[in-house]
Amino acid sequence: MTDRLGDRLVTAREEGFVGRRRETAAFRALLSAGRGAVVYVHGPGGIGKTTLLHHFAQLARRAGRPAVRLEAAGVRSYEEELTERIPDRPDLVLLIDGLDDPRVARDTVHRELLPRLPADALVALAGRTAPPLSWRLDPAWQGLLRLLPLGPLDEADSRELLTRRGVPPAVQDQGLAFTRGHPLALALVADVAAHGGEAAGADPSPQIVRALLASLLEAVPTPLHRTALEASSQVLSTTEPLLAALLQVADARPYFDWLCGLSAVESGLRGVHPHDLVRDALDAELRWRDPERRAALHRRASAYYQRLFTQEDDRARQRAVLADFAYLHRDSPVVGPLLEPVARGAAGAARLDRLSVSPGPVSGGELVEACTIAAIHEGIEAARLVHDWSRRPEAETYTVRGPDGVAAGFYTLIELGGAPPADAPDAPDDPAVRAARGWLAEHGELRGGETALLVRFWMSRDEYQAVSPVQTLITLRLTHHYLTDHKPAVTLLPFADPEFWEPGCAYVDFARLPAADFTAAGRRFGMFVHDWRRVPALAWLAMLTERERAEDPFTVTPPAASDPLRVLDREEFAEAVRDALRGLVRADGLRDSPLLRTRLVAGRCAAGEAGPKERAAALREAVRAAAAALEASPQDRRAFRALHHTYLRPAGTQARAAELLRLPMTTYRRHLTAGVARLTELLWQEELEGGGPEDGGPGAGEGDRPGGPPEVSRPE
């Protein structure tokens, strides 16, 4: 039987373990005693806490005791682990790494998890700081809690670590003096030595990792290997396709495999990422040494993420990559603090990954949970509205669930037209909807078939609308709704604390809209709006990319076309399509088409490059793409053939076209009329949804300063 890769990794990790004799002896004694205890390992990043917990797990398994390892950063509640992953056995050994959040240590572990474990369970916890003082002062913990602070390795253990990693004796003395026993620094010395570099210098401890990385960067095999390491520090996690995009190479496998072999690079569900200390050092080095290359890596990462929305239909991957896109904005003084759950890197991503969103609109028990959360934060009337809207076809409520399966938050979306539907007299009397409809009727400029998306409710169970992992996940999921699912003409988003959120909303081009503010349960909510006709999806993402790089993000205005967007009603649009078909094959036949200034064409043009020729080419492409869709549809194929011989490759006259099709003139004209109607319908739907297969392109009009109201021009 062949060994599994996981078994080989465990064996290699154990073979590389050195030192920590005192800690190992203490843990072995607790294993032998068979009594319940809690071991708390703590020390700075890179000191070897995770390695020691892996070693503890191996010791437990050798002693015949079941060992379960958990990552604290990705766990909100331990219900799921207690019922599914943690066996109910008195000889249990539970190891929890990354216990760096005081709230998790205090609330989840101290109050929820530990009291529910078997009395003889042995628990090992690891975090950067000592446990809360309340643990050490609580009489109940006397005799149960064992603190194991970790410091640097001594000289003998440090030398043994370097020897096991193949560092020649002649190089070891210099490395020992330089690293002063810091395990991560020693591992980096081994990487530097393996690539022929030297760990020169004797800087004080805080500079160790940065100086070692500088040595490693000088000793990497090629400049592309160096860029690969630097690139991994700029993104939330690195996959092989992403690395290919960042390096601009067709095959990134050699560089990705090299990254995976570095001691300072860790792996996770999303890909690989540097250790936190290494990431910070790499980023700081690149920031001052080559800011242009850093900016270029951000642009390439952003472009890669955007392509996932245009070239793939993998919704799960699209949703996941939005966190990666948000991570690029972690340094922004405007939105960086609002992205704290993502900005924490791999640990933050793990916390998000532990949350899930209901696959569809909820009902039954899930709806009750959403109503309960609404009642807690906004009162009984809000809960009633959540319930009543759940019965309406234009509304959808989704829940965010924690690892325990319990609702941790929810949001409700309502699709609105410019006025209430005539057949909906029983719709809930909602102050938010009244305010939104009032603004839409007067200023929204919605055409037939266009809708506005009102995010009626959004909140976390525990933090309401404050910054939190639940709030972040809701924000990312709403973004996915805007870009792929609902594709509204405008989005309306209310906040209970609009002053707090206004700078962040302005950054993402959601303008403050006091005219649509409303009052509910004695609280005034502030409304914000984004017009997707003015700045379509990919143009919006491109704008955010530019704002992320700008010293003052608000100097980057939303992209604007050379002319304002032209809004045609359904009849005007159909007439323009008929005119465009008549001029389709002439060199200047589309020069005066009103369609050139519509959302249909804007969405197919690259921002800043939409001259007359480009717009005419985009219009021809749109017409031919719609015609190709007709050709692919069996029920539309006869209509397509009439279109083809009349407009796409004209036969010269309608009589000649009918002759080529071997049809009577009356039948030919019936097929042609049907073809024009179906082609117009397809183009109209594309116009309403944003234009183009990539749903991007330049903005639709001259925007005001960030925070100003959206504008579109009416037909001339």
Side-chain angles (χ1 to χ4, degrees):
M1 180 184 295
T2 59
D3 291 338
R4 292 177 299 176
L5 179 59
D7 297 330
R8 293 171 56 191
L9 292 173
V10 169
T11 301
R13 188 181 291 119
E14 272 298 286
E15 290 176 350
F17 183 82
V18 299
R20 306 305 186 196
R21 296 176 184 83
R22 180 181 67 86
E23 294 82 3
T24 297
F27 192 78
R28 277 183 170 145
L30 293 172
L31 281 172
S32 300
R35 294 191 301 271
V38 176
V39 177
Y40 203 109
V41 179
H42 61 94
I47 205 67
K49 300 183 294 295
T50 299
T51 300
L52 183 59
L53 254 61
H54 279 295
H55 183 56
F56 284 172
Q58 285 299 100
L59 293 177
R61 294 186 183 104
R62 291 173 190 168
R65 298 182 63 169
V68 177
R69 291 190 71 255
L70 300 176
E71 292 291 333
V75 179
R76 183 183 185 91
S77 168
Y78 286 85
E79 267 313 312
E80 180 182 6
E81 282 76 11
L82 285 168
T83 57
E84 297 182 9
R85 295 181 54 189
I86 301 178
D88 186 14
R89 293 178 49 170
D91 58 350
L92 170 70
V93 176
L94 178 64
L95 308 106
I96 305 177
D97 197 8
L99 198 63
D100 300 323
D101 188 334
R103 292 177 299 177
V104 174
R106 180 186 67 243
D107 299 334
T108 309
V109 174
H110 186 197
R111 298 175 183 173
E112 179 184 345
L113 172 65
L114 296 181
R116 302 172 65 179
L117 294 177
D120 294 332
L122 177 56
V123 181
L125 310 174
R128 295 194 177 190
T129 60
L133 184 62
S134 60
W135 290 32
R136 290 171 275 169
L137 297 180
D138 188 343
W141 285 93
Q142 299 302 315
L144 288 177
L145 184 63
R146 297 286 299 272
L147 301 184
L148 293 181
L150 290 191
L153 299 174
D154 61 26
E155 181 177 348
D157 290 336
S158 298
R159 191 177 295 278
E160 183 181 356
L161 188 152
L162 292 178
T163 299
R164 292 191 183 188
R165 293 180 180 244
V167 179
V171 180
Q172 290 184 10
D173 289 340
Q174 185 181 25
L176 292 173
F178 183 66
T179 61
R180 303 182 182 181
H182 191 284
L184 177 59
L186 288 165
L188 285 169
V189 165
D191 280 341
V192 172
H195 292 92
E198 295 183 0
D203 292 335
S205 180
Q207 302 299 323
I208 287 176
V209 174
R210 182 175 298 177
L212 280 169
L213 283 172
S215 298
L216 178 59
L217 289 172
E218 292 299 326
V220 295
T222 69
L224 271 180
H225 285 82
R226 176 188 181 117
T227 302
L229 185 56
E230 292 171 336
S232 70
S233 72
Q234 299 305 306
V235 294
L236 184 59
S237 58
T238 303
T239 61
E240 191 173 316
L242 172 59
L243 187 61
L246 295 175
L247 300 182
Q248 296 185 310
V249 298
D251 181 11
R253 179 154 198 169
Y255 310 103
F256 187 77
D257 289 345
W258 175 79
L259 276 181
C260 294
L262 294 178
S263 302
V265 174
E266 303 172 344
S267 61
L269 294 175
R270 291 170 172 264
V272 299
H273 55 87
H275 185 283
D276 288 344
L277 290 177
V278 174
R279 183 196 292 275
D280 292 344
L282 283 167
D283 188 33
E285 171 80 5
L286 186 61
R287 188 189 300 268
W288 73 264
R289 182 181 295 277
D290 197 344
E292 287 302 317
R293 179 158 55 173
R294 185 177 186 270
L297 289 171
H298 280 225
R299 284 196 301 271
R300 293 170 193 170
S302 177
Y304 173 81
Y305 300 144
Q306 291 180 48
R307 283 198 297 273
L308 293 181
F309 284 92
T310 64
Q311 298 176 358
E312 297 189 17
D313 195 27
D314 187 338
R315 291 181 177 270
R317 192 177 183 196
Q318 290 172 347
R319 290 166 180 161
V321 86
L322 283 171
D324 297 76
F325 186 85
Y327 183 72
L328 296 178
H329 299 259
R330 63 193 178 277
D331 295 331
S332 167
V334 180
V335 296
L338 307 180
L339 297 172
E340 187 271 338
V342 171
R344 292 180 59 189
R351 293 182 69 186
L352 289 181
D353 289 342
R354 296 289 290 174
L355 301 171
S356 62
V357 178
S358 57
V362 299
S363 60
E366 292 180 310
L367 179 61
V368 171
E369 290 177 305
C371 292
T372 301
I373 295 172
I376 291 171
H377 293 292
E378 295 187 9
I380 296 299
E381 180 61 19
R384 185 188 65 79
L385 286 172
V386 173
H387 176 269
D388 290 350
W389 278 118
S390 71
R391 300 178 175 180
R392 300 292 307 166
E394 66 268 31
E396 298 174 341
T397 293
Y398 297 83
T399 55
V400 177
R401 316 197 75 75
D404 55 1
V406 177
F410 81 97
Y411 59 95
T412 297
L413 308 177
I414 304 176
E415 284 192 345
L416 302 174
D423 60 347
D426 58 337
D429 183 16
D430 189 330
V433 173
R434 287 200 309 270
R437 287 197 187 280
W439 180 81
L440 288 168
E442 188 171 353
H443 304 289
E445 311 266 1
L446 293 182
R447 297 171 292 180
E450 287 185 335
T451 61
L453 185 66
L454 170 64
V455 183
R456 176 57 184 96
F457 296 100
W458 66 273
M459 63 189 74
S460 161
R461 178 190 63 204
D462 298 329
E463 295 89 1
Y464 186 39
Q465 292 186 356
V467 175
S468 69
V470 172
Q471 168 269 325
T472 299
L473 182 60
I474 289 175
T475 299
L476 297 178
R477 187 55 64 92
L478 288 175
T479 302
H480 190 261
H481 277 294
Y482 308 153
L483 300 182
T484 62
D485 292 335
H486 290 267
K487 289 189 177 180
V490 297
T491 294
L492 296 158
L493 180 61
F495 290 85
D497 186 0
E499 289 74 22
F500 173 80
W501 290 99
E502 186 163 4
C505 285
Y507 184 95
V508 297
D509 198 41
F510 271 67
R512 184 72 174 87
L513 197 64
D517 287 357
F518 63 94
T519 299
R523 174 186 291 164
R524 187 161 184 82
F525 290 80
M527 191 75 78
F528 293 80
V529 65
H530 178 81
D531 191 320
W532 299 101
R533 300 164 301 181
R534 182 173 62 92
V535 182
L538 290 190
W540 179 72
L541 292 173
M543 177 199 70
L544 294 184
T545 298
E546 294 302 313
R547 286 188 169 180
E548 180 266 321
R549 295 166 41 226
E551 183 174 349
D552 179 359
F554 296 118
T555 60
V556 179
T557 58
S562 56
D563 294 307
L565 187 71
R566 186 163 185 178
V567 180
L568 304 176
D569 62 29
R570 182 67 174 80
E571 291 72 19
E572 292 169 326
F573 187 89
E575 181 60 32
V577 169
R578 289 191 289 271
D579 289 341
L581 286 171
R582 288 190 283 268
L584 192 66
V585 297
R586 299 201 309 270
D588 61 348
L590 301 178
R591 181 183 60 189
D592 299 322
S593 173
L595 296 175
L596 297 178
R597 290 168 52 192
T598 61
R599 194 181 184 200
L600 167 73
V601 171
R604 288 178 170 267
C605 295
E609 301 176 4
K613 290 184 179 179
E614 290 77 15
R615 286 179 171 272
L619 178 54
R620 286 191 176 90
E621 177 190 351
V623 171
R624 295 188 184 280
L630 295 183
E631 183 182 18
S633 170
Q635 60 266 37
D636 292 324
R637 200 158 292 155
R638 289 181 295 181
F640 163 77
R641 289 171 183 155
L643 273 175
H644 179 80
H645 289 295
T646 308
Y647 298 120
L648 304 179
R649 288 193 175 180
T653 65
Q654 290 192 356
R656 177 58 180 157
E659 181 181 341
L660 288 173
L661 293 170
R662 299 178 181 178
L663 295 174
M665 182 60 71
T666 54
T667 304
Y668 156 75
R669 286 177 175 167
R670 186 173 69 252
H671 290 337
L672 180 61
T673 299
V676 172
R678 286 289 293 125
L679 183 86
T680 301
E681 181 61 30
L682 291 176
L683 294 174
W684 178 246
Q685 289 304 314
E686 191 172 324
E687 163 76 3
L688 296 181
E689 292 179 1
E694 300 185 356
D695 194 21
E702 299 292 341
D704 285 348
R705 69 186 188 285
E711 290 185 354
V712 291
S713 69
R714 298 304 299 167
E716 297 172 354

